[in-house]
Amino acid sequence: MAVLTGGAEKGAAARPAGRGGGAGHAPGAPRSLRRRQSLIAWGFSLPFVLLFASFTLIPLLSSFLMSFTDFKSADVDSPFAVNFVGIDQYRTLFGSAQFLKSLRNTAYFVVVGIPLTMGIALVLAVALNSGISRFRTAFRVGFYTPVVTSIVAVAVVWRFILQKDGPLNAVLGWVGISGPDWLNSTTWAMPAMIGLGVWRNMGTLMVIFLAGLQTIPAEVTEAAMIDGAGPVKRFLRITVPLMRPTLLFGAVLLSVWYLQFFEEPFVMTQGGPLDATLSVSYFAFKQFGFGNYAYASAASYVLFVAIALLSMVMFRALRSKED
């Protein structure tokens, strides 16, 4: 017994005395070790921190401060001549009919584009997940191809499709519909932009929804089938509720993309006709081009606040549903 006790005491003496320290270590050793590990961690992080500060944080803060001045391109050589004007740039901005129109266009694009994109992407994902498709991989590649296609190439093809005498109007003519001059109509230019946006982004959403569908246990669906639930009832009562976090994530993602609606009007219509497709992002871009740097910064921060608020509301909704 004495031998066993002595062995245990020797073993206890050989083990570390506690967290971060040991009986055989000097009292200052754990602290110096932690300090050394912190220095190493900061050393590895420093390149990222410097790059982030140089190319993201400092420009963000600079443009925010600039939005409260009257800074223009002519002031680049004489920055001390810039005046602080407070919120006057924002007052001017919200008094501009062109900016208000760009806000309405962006809201139109978001409100119509997000449900359309999500609806089509969800239907495609359910179809590909159902197992009835024999060419599932080919369909996945086909629907995802627009996401990785160059917007310039897309613009050339879509401008051809949307011409007054283009293929789309030819197809509509077969069923007795006289199609409009899509890109030159103040009424139809925005729906054409929405169609292009839906076509480009539904592939990404489809992949996300497909991943969400594959997390639904097969036993749940099989039990519903045994209970006599049809496809529509299973979709509404099982698939949609279990997919809610994925659907909300897709909605957040799309809202961020669609509020920054820029490429489509830039390459297709240059904001026309008569500003019918002018978005807030394209408005800010044009003001930078005109040399109105402070004015453009103010427009950009209005968009930033809109994106932040909408994302916050959606994430809060997602969190409350998860709770």
Side-chain angles (χ1 to χ4, degrees):
M1 187 69 183
V3 172
L4 292 175
T5 307
E9 287 174 352
K10 287 179 183 178
R15 287 195 299 270
R19 186 180 178 183
H25 292 167
R31 183 175 295 176
S32 64
L33 179 62
R34 286 197 297 271
R35 189 181 300 120
R36 190 162 58 249
Q37 288 174 339
S38 298
L39 288 174
I40 292 172
W42 275 107
F44 279 111
S45 304
L46 192 59
F48 167 75
V49 172
L50 290 175
L51 288 172
F52 178 75
S54 302
F55 295 105
T56 304
L57 189 59
I58 293 175
L60 273 175
L61 293 175
S62 301
S63 62
F64 180 68
L65 294 175
M66 190 191 299
S67 68
F68 295 100
T69 68
D70 60 355
F71 190 80
K72 295 184 179 179
S73 58
D75 299 321
V76 172
D77 295 329
S78 55
F80 293 106
V82 175
N83 299 308
F84 180 78
V85 298
I87 61 171
D88 282 357
Q89 290 288 8
Y90 291 91
R91 284 182 182 149
T92 308
L93 199 61
F94 283 99
S96 164
Q98 192 181 40
F99 176 71
L100 294 179
K101 189 164 189 176
S102 73
L103 273 178
R104 287 195 296 272
N105 290 340
T106 304
Y108 180 16
F109 192 81
V110 169
V111 170
V112 178
I114 288 180
L116 265 180
T117 309
M118 291 188 65
I120 294 173
L122 185 58
V123 169
L124 291 175
V126 170
L128 289 178
N129 191 56
S130 64
I132 60 174
S133 174
R134 296 174 55 191
F135 306 101
R136 183 181 301 178
T137 304
F139 280 123
R140 284 179 184 174
V141 173
F143 289 125
Y144 196 73
T145 299
V147 180
V148 294
T149 306
S150 164
I151 184 63
V152 177
V154 168
V156 172
V157 173
W158 273 77
R159 287 183 70 87
F160 170 70
I161 293 173
L162 296 172
Q163 286 178 350
K164 175 68 177 172
D165 54 351
L168 178 58
N169 283 348
V171 173
L172 292 176
W174 294 344
V175 292
I177 299 174
S178 178
D181 190 0
W182 295 90
L183 298 180
N184 293 313
S185 165
T186 54
T187 304
W188 292 104
M190 184 55 81
M193 295 294 102
I194 292 172
L196 175 56
V198 171
W199 179 78
R200 286 195 70 209
N201 295 297
M202 66 180 183
T204 304
L205 264 290
M206 182 197 70
V207 171
I208 294 172
F209 291 163
L210 195 56
L213 285 169
Q214 290 174 354
T215 63
I216 297 176
E219 295 80 7
V220 178
T221 309
E222 289 168 2
M225 291 174 69
I226 293 171
D227 289 342
V232 176
K233 197 170 184 178
R234 290 201 304 271
F235 177 77
L236 295 177
R237 298 291 181 85
I238 295 176
T239 303
V240 172
L242 292 179
M243 283 278 293
R244 187 179 291 121
T246 309
L247 293 172
L248 278 169
F249 173 73
V252 172
L253 205 62
L254 274 186
S255 64
V256 172
W257 290 347
Y258 283 6
L259 280 170
Q260 299 180 74
F261 168 47
F262 173 78
E263 291 175 330
E264 288 84 355
F266 178 69
V267 298
M268 297 283 286
T269 60
Q270 289 77 49
L274 299 175
D275 295 333
T277 57
L278 183 69
S279 66
V280 176
S281 295
Y282 194 55
F283 175 86
F285 172 78
K286 286 177 70 176
Q287 294 303 322
F288 269 113
F290 296 150
N292 301 324
Y293 294 163
Y295 195 52
S297 296
S300 300
Y301 271 91
V302 171
L303 184 61
F304 172 80
V305 170
I307 293 173
L309 287 176
L310 190 58
S311 302
M312 194 183 304
V313 169
M314 288 188 172
F315 274 117
R316 179 157 298 195
L318 174 62
R319 193 181 307 157
S320 65
K321 295 294 182 185
E322 286 178 345
D323 292 342

